[in-house]
Amino acid sequence: MVYTVFQDLPIWRDAIEIAADIFKFCRNGQIQRELRLKDQLTSACTSISSNIAEGFEYHNNRQFIRYLTHAKGSASETQSLLHVMIKSGMIDQHEFQSFSRRVASLSSQIGGFIKYLEQNPGP
């Protein structure tokens, strides 16, 4: 399938859903008081979709791969922050597992897309 706008990319849509859910989570609970951690978490998770969108707009696979790599890095940063939160008791096990599983799946999908683009060079 050929995508003409970044909003059609399934990985972008998944990244937006995860970010929206993390923002909702950050409005409640103990993380509200941890402003720096909350800001870092919301920044990391929004960076995933932002990098996917920005890279897509270059219309160049090499540049897109570069930005997808940044998106994958932001997913790892999000995962790391979730681990800090579970270890410090700011998130319960169920929430941690849910977010962690979703972010890991998205990271894997981004990695698969990178491999696809590397094997199918385009403009």
Side-chain angles (χ1 to χ4, degrees), residues 75-122:
S76 292
E77 181 181 3
T78 301
Q79 284 277 33
S80 180
L81 293 165
L82 290 169
H83 279 277
V84 168
M85 292 170 61
I86 188 72
K87 293 286 185 186
S88 61
M90 285 189 245
I91 188 172
D92 70 34
Q93 188 68 31
H94 178 270
E95 292 167 321
F96 170 78
Q97 287 177 340
S98 176
F99 283 130
S100 184
R101 185 175 30 250
R102 290 171 66 195
V103 175
S105 174
L106 177 58
S107 182
S108 179
Q109 290 173 52
I110 293 168
F113 195 37
I114 289 169
K115 286 180 184 168
Y116 170 81
L117 291 174
E118 288 172 339
Q119 295 169 357
N120 298 284

Side-chain angles (χ1 to χ4, degrees), residues 19-123:
D21 289 344
I22 286 176
F23 269 80
K24 289 174 194 170
F25 168 77
C26 286
R27 284 191 213 129
N28 304 309
Q30 189 173 350
I31 194 166
Q32 275 183 308
R33 295 180 296 262
E34 302 295 334
L35 296 179
R36 186 163 165 83
L37 180 59
K38 181 175 112 174
D39 288 347
Q40 192 168 358
L41 177 63
T42 56
S43 177
C45 73
T46 56
S47 182
I48 301 168
S49 60
S50 295
N51 277 298
I52 293 168
E54 186 172 356
F56 182 89
E57 290 302 322
Y58 282 98
H59 302 288
N60 174 295
N61 279 4
R62 191 168 140 226
Q63 288 295 328
F64 194 15
I65 290 167
R66 183 173 146 232
Y67 279 89
L68 289 171
T69 302
H70 293 308
K72 198 162 169 37
S74 294
S76 292
E77 181 181 3
T78 301
Q79 284 277 33
S80 180
L81 293 165
L82 290 169
H83 279 277
V84 168
M85 292 170 61
I86 188 72
K87 293 286 185 186
S88 61
M90 285 189 245
I91 188 172
D92 70 34
Q93 188 68 31
H94 178 270
E95 292 167 321
F96 170 78
Q97 287 177 340
S98 176
F99 283 130
S100 184
R101 185 175 30 250
R102 290 171 66 195
V103 175
S105 174
L106 177 58
S107 182
S108 179
Q109 290 173 52
I110 293 168
F113 195 37
I114 289 169
K115 286 180 184 168
Y116 170 81
L117 291 174
E118 288 172 339
Q119 295 169 357
N120 298 284

